[in-house]
Amino acid sequence: MRILFLTHSFNSLAQRLYIELAARGHEVSIEFDISDAVTQEAVRLYQPDLIVAPFLKRAIPEAIWREQVCLIVHPGIKGDRGPSALDWAIMNGETEWGVTVLQAAAEMDAGDIWATASFALRTASKSSLYRNEVTEAAVVAMLEAVAKFETGGFAPEPLDCNRPDVRGQWHPIMRQEDRAIDWQLDDTATVLRKIRAADGFPGVLDEVLGLPCYLYDAHPTDGLQGAPGKVIAHNNSAICRTTTDGAIWIGHLREKREGEPAFKLPAAMVLGARLTGIPVLASAQTDIRYEEKNGVGFLHFDFYNGAMSTAQCERLLQAYLAATRRDTQVIVLAGGADFWSNGLHLNLIEAADSPADESWANINAIDDLAHAIIETDRQITLSALHGNAGAGGMFLALAADQVVARAGTVLNPHYKAMGNLYGSEYWTYLLPRRVGAERAAEITDNRLPVGAASAKTLGLIDDCFAGDSAAFWHQVEALAGDLATQAPGLLAEKQAQRQRDEAIRSLADYRAEELANLKRNFYGFDPSYHVARYNFVHKVPHSRTPRHLALHRRVGVK
Ligand code: COA
C-alpha cells in the first residue's frame, strides 16, 4: 500500500514504524505537520491508500479524515484521551499501560479503535518508556491495524467508556503546577516520579540555587542526606539534591529565561559559579562503568541522549585503554540502555564560545577513541547495540571487529541530515570495508533510518538478536564467549588484515581527509552545519519536509 505518515517529526517511533512497514512491502512517504494547507497538499500529491499519524501535536484537518481513514498512534490504553498520556500514567503510578491505534475523528483520541497493545510500566523516564515499551507496543498495534485495513471488512470498535475493558479516561494537558516538587514534603520516590514524568520534555520547573530552571535526568543515590531541598554536592556535571528521606542526582537543567529560550545542559554547567563552596564528589560519576564476566570485559557508557562530549570521549578513551590492559580476550562495547551513541554532543557545542572549535575538539576526541578501538590488537572487540545509534555514534560502533544489535534498534548511518556534515570516526575506512564502496555511498546519501534486520542484510552489522533486553544480553554474552574461545586465531587474522589495510592506505590518511572536509563544515563559508545544529538544539519547528522523506514531493514520482 501507499502509506502517508503525517507526523510532527521523524522521531524514533516514526522511524521504527517506517522500517517495519517498509519491511512488509509498503511504500511510506512522510509529511511533517506544518499547516493544514501543506497537509492537504501532501494528501493530494501522494494519493495514499492509508494515512498514519505516529506522532502528531495538532489535529488532522477534518477535510482529510472525513475522506479517508487516518490511523493515530496514541500512547495510552483504551479510552485514555488527552495530550499528556504517558505523563499522567507515570504520575499516577500505573503499573500496566498501552498503546491504542484509533481512527481520527472530531473529538481528540476518541475515534474508533483499530488495535491496542499493552505493556508493564517500568520505573523509568517518559522518554525511555517512549523509546522502548511504547515503541514496541506501537509496532504491534499498528501492524495489526494496517493488516486489518488492507484485508478490508473490519469494523473498528467505537469507544464506549461503559465497557469493563475500557479503563482509560480523559486527562487534560499536564501543567507545571501539576508537576511541581515540594522539597519539604516530597520523598525520593515522589521527586523521581515527577521528574521522570517530564523527561525529556518539558522538564519540571523549579528553582536551583536561586536560578529558575527545568529539571531532567534524575537518579536515586544511597548514603547522602541533609535538610530537604538542599544542593549538597556535585560531580562537575550532575548535582546532588536532598529530599525528605534521602537524595537524588539531577544530571541536566534548562534555564528558564526571557528572550531566546535556553536548552538542556549538564546541571553543573548551568549553575556555574552558584556551585562555589558546594563539595565535589568526583567519584560519583557513573555514566561509564566497566565489569568483567567469564573473562569478557563489558564497557558500559550511558550518556544522556547518547550525546558524547569531548570530556566524555576522553574519559571513555581512558576507560577503554584500561580495559585493553586487562587480561581478557574480548571487550564488549555496550553503550547505554536507550542509546548506544548519537555522536558529537551538539548541545555542548552550541553552548561553547566557539562552536567551530568545540566541534573540532569533540570530533578529534571521538576519532581518538575510534582509533584506539580499531588498533586494539590484544582483544576481539564487539559493539553490542542495545540502544539506537545515529551519525558519528553509528560509525564509532563499526570500529569494533563485530557489531550486533537488538532487533528493535533504529540505526541512522549518515551525517548529512545535520547540515551536510561530512563526518569522521574513520567512516570512509569502516563503512566500505563492510558494505563496499557503492552501497556505502547509497547508505550515506539516503539519510534514512535502517532497522537492525536490514542492517544485517546490508552487511552494516554482523547480527541482530530478537527478544527482550535480557535475551539480548544473554546472546551477546554467548557470542562473546564463543569469540573468546577462538581469540588466538581471530587476533592473528585481525592483525594481518590491519597490516594489509594500513599498507594500502593508512588510518592517518583516512582521518586527515575526513577532517579536511569537516574543517570546511566547521570553519568554511557555508554555514549549513551551524544552522542545522542551532535548529536541532533549539528544536526549531520544521518549515518543510525534506525531499528524501517526502516521496510525493519528488518530481516525477507518482
Ligand atoms: N547531541 C545532543 N543531543 C542529542 C544528540 C546529539 N548528538 N542526538 C540526540 N540528542 C537529543 C535530542 O535533542 C533530544 O533531546 P530532548 O531530550 O531534549 O528531547 C534527545 O536526544 C532525543 O533525540 P530525538 O531526536 O528526539 O531522538 P530520536 O530517537 O527521535 O532521533 C536521531 C534520533 C539520532 C535521528 C536524532 O537524535 C539525531 O539526528 N541526532 C543528531 C545526530 C548527529 O547529527 N550527531 C552529530 C554528528 S556526529
Side-chain angles (χ1 to χ4, degrees):
M1 289 194 295
R2 292 156 73 84
I3 300 179
L4 179 67
F5 272 14
L6 293 180
T7 189
H8 177 72
S9 71
F10 199 31
N11 71 348
S12 55
L13 171 61
Q15 294 193 359
R16 177 73 190 285
L17 291 175
Y18 168 91
I19 287 165
E20 298 292 342
L21 291 169
R24 283 158 184 79
H26 300 296
E27 184 190 84
V28 181
S29 189
I30 293 152
E31 184 70 38
F32 291 153
D33 176 34
I34 290 161
S35 73
D36 285 3
V38 172
T39 303
Q40 279 164 308
E41 181 185 61
V43 174
R44 205 168 50 246
L45 287 171
Y46 194 48
Q47 308 270 309
D49 299 310
L50 176 65
I51 294 175
V52 167
F55 169 46
L56 265 194
K57 293 198 174 176
R58 288 174 348 110
I60 295 176
E62 184 170 350
I64 294 177
W65 60 256
R66 286 240 180 252
E67 284 297 310
Q68 73 183 111
V69 173
C70 301
L71 297 179
I72 312 254
V73 178
H74 176 70
I77 52 175
K78 243 188 210 183
D80 181 85
R81 281 150 289 149
S84 305
L86 272 177
D87 313 46
W88 286 114
I90 298 171
M91 282 291 235
N92 294 338
E94 300 284 353
T95 52
E96 182 156 329
W97 201 240
V99 169
T100 305
V101 173
L102 39 87
Q103 194 166 329
E107 191 189 335
M108 184 184 188
D109 302 331
D112 295 352
I113 296 162
W114 281 74
T116 59
S118 61
F119 55 85
L121 199 86
R122 190 169 43 102
T123 305
S125 70
K126 176 173 64 168
S127 48
S128 180
L129 290 166
Y130 187 81
R131 280 186 203 109
N132 293 285
E133 285 84 347
V134 170
T135 299
E136 293 304 330
V139 168
V140 171
M142 180 51 74
L143 291 179
E144 185 185 320
V146 168
K148 285 171 176 168
F149 177 84
E150 194 170 24
T151 309
F154 174 75
E157 172 193 320
L159 176 62
D160 174 1
C161 294
N162 295 317
R163 281 178 56 147
D165 65 327
V166 178
R167 266 201 314 121
Q169 49 181 285
W170 163 260
H171 288 292
I173 190 164
M174 191 178 280
R175 298 153 309 154
Q176 283 299 339
E177 298 90 271
D178 303 312
R179 304 182 189 275
I181 296 170
D182 184 336
W183 292 96
Q184 302 308 313
L185 284 182
D186 289 346
D187 60 8
T188 298
T190 308
V191 175
L192 285 174
R193 198 168 55 241
K194 287 180 173 176
I195 300 179
R196 285 174 177 155
D199 205 345
F201 181 82
V204 175
L205 181 58
D206 199 42
E207 202 176 275
V208 185
L209 300 170
L211 186 73
C213 51
Y214 299 87
L215 316 181
Y216 307 89
D217 185 20
H219 303 273
T221 181
D222 285 332
L224 294 170
Q225 257 182 329
K230 273 190 72 159
V231 177
I232 53 164
H234 70 95
N235 63 15
N236 293 316
S237 178
I239 53 167
C240 184
R241 195 163 182 191
T242 45
T243 62
T244 55
D245 63 346
I248 57 160
W249 286 95
I250 299 171
H252 285 75
L253 301 177
R254 178 166 60 92
E255 191 183 338
K256 181 180 192 294
R257 64 174 184 223
E258 302 304 321
E260 187 184 58
F263 48 89
K264 239 179 244 181
L265 287 169
M269 188 169 169
V270 173
L271 294 169
R274 290 171 198 260
L275 287 173
T276 309
I278 291 176
V280 182
L281 264 182
S283 60
Q285 258 176 350
T286 54
D287 50 5
I288 300 175
R289 193 166 53 82
Y290 177 76
E291 60 177 342
E292 270 170 32
K293 277 190 225 164
N294 305 321
V296 173
F298 287 81
L299 188 57
H300 302 267
F301 41 101
D302 206 350
F303 300 135
Y304 188 69
N305 283 339
M308 295 171 70
S309 69
T310 308
Q312 282 166 326
C313 291
E314 287 168 356
R315 280 196 291 119
L316 185 53
L317 174 60
Q318 291 315 313
Y320 179 76
L321 293 175
T324 62
R325 291 191 288 269
R326 302 281 305 168
D327 189 16
T328 53
Q329 260 129 10
V330 178
I331 297 176
V332 175
L333 297 161
D338 284 1
F339 292 105
W340 196 87
S341 168
N342 278 331
L344 299 182
H345 199 311
L346 298 170
N347 288 35
L348 281 177
I349 290 172
E350 190 61 33
D353 290 340
S354 163
D357 288 353
E358 184 50 35
S359 302
W360 185 253
N362 202 161
I363 197 68
N364 275 287
I366 297 196
D367 279 2
D368 291 346
L369 178 60
H371 185 261
I373 298 169
I374 298 168
E375 289 280 32
T376 302
D377 57 4
R378 286 189 60 239
Q379 282 96 356
I380 299 300
T381 51
L382 169 62
S383 291
L385 280 66
H386 180 274
N388 297 344
M394 182 64 225
F395 294 107
L396 179 67
L398 304 188
D401 303 317
Q402 295 227 4
V403 186
V404 297
R406 197 167 51 88
T409 48
V410 174
L411 312 175
N412 276 284
H414 50 85
Y415 300 93
K416 284 188 179 166
M418 192 55 64
N420 221 13
L421 197 66
Y422 187 82
S424 189
E425 291 93 8
Y426 300 90
W427 76 268
T428 52
Y429 168 59
L430 299 171
L431 186 60
R433 85 170 173 172
R434 283 189 159 265
V435 303
E438 202 174 312
R439 202 171 259 180
E442 261 170 46
I443 290 173
T444 50
D445 284 344
N446 280 348
R447 286 167 288 166
L448 289 172
V450 181
S454 311
K456 181 181 172 184
T457 310
L458 286 169
L460 186 66
I461 64 172
D462 298 289
D463 214 341
C464 133
F465 297 150
D468 60 9
S469 276
F472 173 75
W473 288 118
H474 188 72
Q475 292 172 86
V476 168
E477 281 173 29
L479 172 61
D482 272 1
L483 293 172
T485 59
Q486 303 166 48
L490 291 175
L491 283 171
E493 235 175 77
K494 161 172 159 170
Q495 287 157 10
Q497 185 63 47
R498 183 80 280 287
Q499 278 173 13
R500 283 196 296 275
D501 288 353
E502 188 71 15
I504 296 169
R505 188 174 174 198
S506 70
L507 283 179
D509 202 37
Y510 283 105
R511 178 166 173 165
E513 193 190 330
E514 290 169 7
L515 289 180
N517 279 289
L518 272 180
K519 214 168 210 171
R520 280 191 282 279
N521 288 136
F522 298 161
Y523 296 101
F525 292 119
D526 179 357
S528 299
Y529 157 70
H530 297 292
V531 172
R533 188 195 60 243
Y534 177 94
N535 289 342
F536 180 82
V537 168
H538 286 91
K539 304 192 188 306
V540 175
H542 300 285
S543 56
R544 61 177 191 91
T545 311
R547 269 198 300 196
H548 69 277
L549 301 179
L551 297 183
H552 51 283
R553 295 193 183 279
R554 293 188 199 166
V555 178
V557 175
K558 173 69 196 144

